[in-house]
Amino acid sequence: MRPFQTLRRFSTLMLLAGTAAVMPLAAQNADTAMMKRDQMKHDTMMKADKMMGHEMMGPHGRFSGGNGHKTSGSYEVATAQGKQWVKLGDDFSLDNAPDAYVVISPTDKGGDKKALNLGKLKSFKGAQAYEVPSATDLAGFTKVIIYCKKYNVTLGIADLAVPGEMMHN
């Protein structure tokens, strides 16, 4: 019997006996070294992304309309160059409304006393970004709202995931 056939039979017997065949030590060391190299590459790429100001994705979700208004599209909370931003996606859309603002709120009301106004809506369609003031703890907020200040009306609303909760699609 050739050595390969002997090894193959031994491995088959070990599996049948309920014990997995053990990988030779040299192969284990090679696999461990390759995993360490892959992790180092990943870590290096992540550091380079952070240094270059590339964004790290955070909570994200989709808008739905409110109070008879048509609001749709996505948003995400992104971190870039040490700052947090609420970014409305390319697919964002709001039907025409006066005095619209982007707000984060602990309730579904844009005019809530604890709501934080991020700024006047720049456009009714498309991608745009609003800086979240530094030291703002997003855990205190549950909604991203498009809010009409003039009439105190929610035009669009999306859930805001807090750290430790599942992200929204």
Side-chain angles (χ1 to χ4, degrees), residues 2-154:
R2 289 187 257 177
F4 178 72
Q5 289 174 327
T6 304
L7 180 61
R8 188 170 163 197
R9 281 191 178 171
F10 176 74
S11 296
T12 303
L13 287 173
M14 294 299 286
L15 286 172
L16 290 174
T19 307
V22 177
M23 185 185 303
L25 187 56
Q28 288 179 6
N29 289 341
D31 280 351
T32 301
M34 189 164 51
M35 287 176 16
K36 285 181 181 177
R37 273 195 312 273
D38 288 347
Q39 184 62 45
M40 286 172 51
K41 282 182 188 175
H42 173 72
D43 292 346
T44 302
M45 287 171 48
M46 292 300 287
K47 286 177 187 174
D49 279 350
K50 287 180 185 178
M51 288 173 59
M52 292 171 56
H54 292 165
E55 299 163 4
M56 304 297 290
M57 190 167 184
H60 57 279
R62 298 199 61 76
F63 284 100
S64 60
N67 294 303
H69 285 272
K70 293 179 183 175
T71 309
S72 62
S74 62
Y75 85 89
E76 72 173 310
V77 177
T79 301
Q81 299 175 342
K83 297 179 182 180
Q84 286 187 316
W85 300 82
V86 171
K87 298 178 85 179
L88 307 185
D90 290 335
D91 60 346
F92 175 78
S93 177
L94 168 67
D95 59 354
N96 200 2
D99 208 26
Y101 288 81
V102 177
V103 175
I104 54 176
S105 178
T107 68
D108 61 352
K109 306 284 186 228
D112 188 282
K113 291 178 185 176
K114 294 181 181 176
L116 182 59
N117 184 338
L118 301 181
K120 191 163 179 87
L121 190 68
K122 297 171 186 171
S123 174
F124 293 118
K125 292 191 185 305
Q128 46 204 294
Y130 300 86
E131 186 177 350
V132 178
S134 62
T136 299
D137 182 7
L138 291 179
F141 300 94
T142 59
K143 305 290 181 187
V144 178
I145 298 173
I146 307 301
Y147 172 68
C148 174
K149 198 173 188 182
K150 182 176 182 177
Y151 294 110
N152 191 25
V153 173
T154 296

